[in-house]
Amino acid sequence: MHELGITRSIVEIAEGHAREQGATRVLSLTVQIGALSGVIPEAVEFAFEACSQGTLLEGARLIIDAVPGRGRCRACGAESAMDRFTYACPHCDALALDTVQGEELRILELEVD
């Protein structure tokens, strides 16, 4: 479960930014996770409580902004929904999809006190 390490890193980064701003605690943390990122949002939620214990994020609310996968076909230019198992364009059947969105994994917002 690599989400534990990812969640630990998210907490460390968020805590570092909160401390830089002179915060005494973090009330909420919004994280964007793309469907094609290889990160399971539910696993991040599960690990968050354990990873945030003893930090400024202990007791903070974790908000996950899920980003669906989208691809653009190099052959026909059409955009369409995409998941980890999509290889062919649903419009022209070309094996030429480029990912447009869905690989995101980033901290969007910290609400601090």
Side-chain angles (χ1 to χ4, degrees), residues 2-45:
H2 71 286
E3 283 81 2
L4 182 61
I6 289 169
T7 305
R8 187 175 296 127
S9 293
I10 289 170
V11 168
E12 289 171 1
I13 292 166
E15 184 175 40
H17 284 287
R19 287 190 188 282
E20 286 174 7
Q21 299 303 314
T24 56
R25 70 184 182 127
V26 175
L27 303 173
S28 69
L29 169 66
T30 304
V31 178
Q32 192 173 55
I33 301 176
L36 306 174
S37 68
V39 176
I40 302 168
E42 295 82 9
V44 171
E45 286 178 318

Side-chain angles (χ1 to χ4, degrees), residues 7-110:
T7 305
R8 187 175 296 127
S9 293
I10 289 170
V11 168
E12 289 171 1
I13 292 166
E15 184 175 40
H17 284 287
R19 287 190 188 282
E20 286 174 7
Q21 299 303 314
T24 56
R25 70 184 182 127
V26 175
L27 303 173
S28 69
L29 169 66
T30 304
V31 178
Q32 192 173 55
I33 301 176
L36 306 174
S37 68
V39 176
I40 302 168
E42 295 82 9
V44 171
E45 286 178 318
F46 180 78
F48 182 72
E49 186 176 344
C51 290
S52 64
Q53 286 183 356
T55 72
L56 295 181
L57 285 87
E58 186 169 355
R61 185 167 65 115
L62 176 64
I63 302 163
I64 294 180
D65 177 23
V67 180
R70 289 204 57 79
R72 180 179 299 118
C73 179
R74 288 189 307 272
C76 73
E79 274 196 30
S80 58
M82 185 176 172
D83 62 25
R84 295 181 311 174
F85 307 107
T86 303
Y87 300 103
C89 173
H91 302 282
C92 72
D93 292 325
L95 297 173
L97 288 178
D98 291 325
T99 302
V100 174
Q101 75 175 32
E103 294 179 327
E104 298 83 355
L105 178 58
R106 62 178 149 233
I107 296 172
L108 288 182
E109 185 176 302
L110 283 171

